[in-house]
Amino acid sequence: QLFVPRLDRHSEVVTLVTHKDLTRVNSVHDQKFWKYHETSTKFFFNVSPTSTDGLLGLPGRCFLLNRPEWTPSVCCYRPLEYPRLASAIECQVHSTMAIPIYAGDFTVEPQMALGVLEVVLDHQTTNLGHVFEFLVGVLRRNGFY
């Protein structure tokens, strides 16, 4: 699923949000993954520079720190670090990865991410390096990393 920043013009708070049109599910656990996505749409990860609420979650950390993050098991996180943890466990999300998305060549001119791509797997894997290399290759070929 893709998380994109949304600015509330009244409060000037920037949050990362997702929507069903920004999601693709391809798993034997389709219904459970869609349920996890529905949970994700209810979360607003505050990424405002002045935010003090500390509820960044995986997408927020990836966006603000401008770097990918992954884990072989969501159970490695505490609920404060991964606010969707209970839903992830219930929906059989095991490994997860978040990658910042850019327009243009990030290696030439570092910039703020346009959003965050979150990939979840229905199995535990310690070999996320290959998944990361594949995803970054696809993003680079399309001008997003």
Side-chain angles (χ1 to χ4, degrees):
Q1 61 191 341
L2 183 64
F3 286 87
V4 293
R6 182 179 73 183
L7 172 65
D8 181 317
R9 294 176 196 236
H10 300 291
S11 65
E12 296 186 3
V13 170
V14 180
T15 55
L16 286 183
V17 297
T18 189
H19 185 272
K20 70 177 183 171
D21 293 337
L22 301 174
T23 301
R24 175 149 162 52
V25 173
N26 186 14
S27 167
V28 296
H29 301 293
D30 281 4
Q31 294 305 315
K32 290 185 179 202
F33 275 20
W34 278 114
K35 183 177 179 182
Y36 175 73
H37 169 69
E38 287 174 22
T39 299
S40 296
T41 63
K42 296 176 178 125
F43 280 84
F44 300 93
F45 301 101
N46 189 339
V47 293
S48 297
T50 58
S51 173
T52 58
D53 69 11
L55 189 62
L56 293 174
L58 177 65
R61 283 191 304 277
C62 177
F63 184 82
L64 282 180
L65 299 175
N66 235 8
R67 67 176 190 219
E69 182 177 324
W70 60 85
T71 184
S73 172
V74 294
C75 293
C76 294
Y77 288 110
R78 295 183 318 239
L80 186 59
E81 297 170 313
Y82 199 89
R84 300 167 294 157
L85 181 61
S87 177
I89 292 169
E90 177 186 344
C91 296
Q92 297 181 347
V93 170
H94 292 283
S95 298
T96 185
M97 177 180 295
I99 303 173
I101 305 296
Y102 306 98
D105 188 354
F106 175 75
T107 60
V108 174
E109 184 179 320
Q111 54 194 309
M112 178 185 285
L114 295 175
V116 173
L117 175 67
E118 181 185 43
V119 176
V120 297
L121 302 175
D122 59 3
H123 60 281
Q124 238 181 341
T125 181
T126 56
N127 198 8
L128 284 168
H130 291 296
V131 175
F132 175 74
E133 289 173 9
F134 171 77
L135 291 172
V136 167
V138 170
L139 292 171
R140 280 191 178 133
R141 283 193 298 278
N142 292 284
F144 292 111
Y145 194 87

